[in-house]
Amino acid sequence: MELKKLLLFVSCLYFVFGASIRQVHSDFGLNAIELIEKYGYPVEVHQIHTDDGYILETHRIPHGKNNQNNALRIPVLLVPGVVCGSADWVNMGATNSLGFILADHGYDVWLANYRGTTWSRKHETLHADVNKKEFFDYSFQEIGAYDLPANINHILNATHQENLIYIAHSQGTASFFAMAASKPEYNNKIRIMIAFAPIAYTTHMEQMIFNWLSSQENLDLFNEFVDKYELYEIMPYSPSLSTIAQTFCNDDSILQRFCAEIFYFISGRSIYFNMTMIPVIASNTPAGSSAKTFSHFAQLSIANSFQKYDYGEVINEEEYGQSTPPKYDLRQVTSPVALYYSDNDLLSAVTDVDRLSSELSNVVVKKMVNGYNHLDYLWATNSVQMLYNDVLEQIKNYS
Ligand SMILES: *[C@@H]1O[C@H](CO)[C@@H](O)[C@H](O)[C@H]1NC(C)=O
Ligand SMILES: *[C@@H]1O[C@H](CO)[C@@H](O)[C@H](O)[C@H]1NC(C)=O
């Protein structure tokens, strides 16, 4: 909070002393719903209750701009990565955003927002700001156990369909594998699962902060720090952050390159990243997550295993009826899976994807997207040619 205030103050000074903003993108400051409306698409807002009381907001683009309303369409559920939300599939304009492209190709597009992110900070009995410890007590495990089934059931019921196409980025793939491995009945509800930058095993991640966290000693420090300062919620949506991005990362700012370096630090360098779009991305992202999420991913790396959260022997006994966390059995994932991965991704490592691929039951596509960093799957200038055209071909076979 203090750091944010300081940055805000510095950005005010920057405003006053000479910086003029001539070149901020006209999509700056728009949220998911506003972006969808601005580009001329229909939008619906759905409130979905999970079995453990969270109230999730899912955004729907029921059809494309020039399609008729009444045709039968196959639903596609888009599930983002950690600290991302519905906006991240529609913030690259009409021709480069996968959300819009799918709608124009005749699909019924549903954009999920996880528990704890901007639109889904709601619960039947808990308050996200008052009961932070309980509210943010989740990782991809609970998302897979509750949020995804709730979304899938809601969509199938609303559309009178038996199955849907699932497309996810990063954590959206980990939570899918967790769901399909522990609730195998959901495999039948999936026509095909498309995974961008797949995450299950995290052992070979190269990102610096994650590497630091992936030692038991540092992870203990992190967890103590989180408890001491009650930092259960991590990187929530912040209007001041988007103001800072508008000020420092626009096309006229000498600091724009530095802003891009932050993205590269997180995800790997990219020659496909359009820096002009940084203020638009920062208008909605980061959208929030839980400290436990990062702790769980670090545990996976330390244990060299894809498994449930490790609470320590005593609580593991209570939670799982065994002293160690149960491993997810990836052979139970029988839905057709398409894996898109890269050798330039600091978070989704080739070795880890190969191991995942060898354990899944039904991998139908495994493609290297050359040169992509972790975020290019959403925001690269050439994502249509490099990725989305191929995805459209693959899902056509299951439509
Ligand atoms: C299923 O959809 C109908 C409307 O089509 C609605 O009345 C009902 O509450 C829904 N059921 C669930 C479990 O969402
Ligand atoms: C970057 O984004 C801007 C604004 O949308 C666009 O005008 C420009 O063509 C993009 N650059 C590339 C290389 O795609």
Side-chain angles (χ1 to χ4, degrees), residues 287-300:
S289 180
S290 68
K292 190 176 177 182
T293 295
F294 292 88
S295 178
H296 194 170
F297 281 126
Q299 284 184 357
L300 300 187

Side-chain angles (χ1 to χ4, degrees), residues 5 8 24 31 38 59 69 88-89 102 144 187 189 209 235 239 251 269 286 319-320 337 360 363 377 389 398:
K5 274 186 199 144
L8 200 59
V24 170
N31 65 35
K38 173 177 171 177
H59 297 144
N69 206 0
D88 295 299
W89 301 103
L102 290 167
N187 285 294
K189 304 186 184 204
I209 297 175
M235 289 187 268
D251 284 350
R269 304 202 72 79
E319 284 280 326
Y320 309 125
V337 171
L360 290 167
V363 175
Y377 296 88
N389 284 340
Y398 294 85

Side-chain angles (χ1 to χ4, degrees), residues 119-137:
W119 303 99
S120 299
R121 292 174 91 261
K122 288 165 283 185
H123 190 278
E124 287 160 10
T125 56
L126 299 173
H127 190 293
D129 293 317
V130 180
N131 315 102
K132 265 196 198 294
K133 188 176 163 86
E134 295 81 8
F135 189 95
F136 289 93
D137 185 15

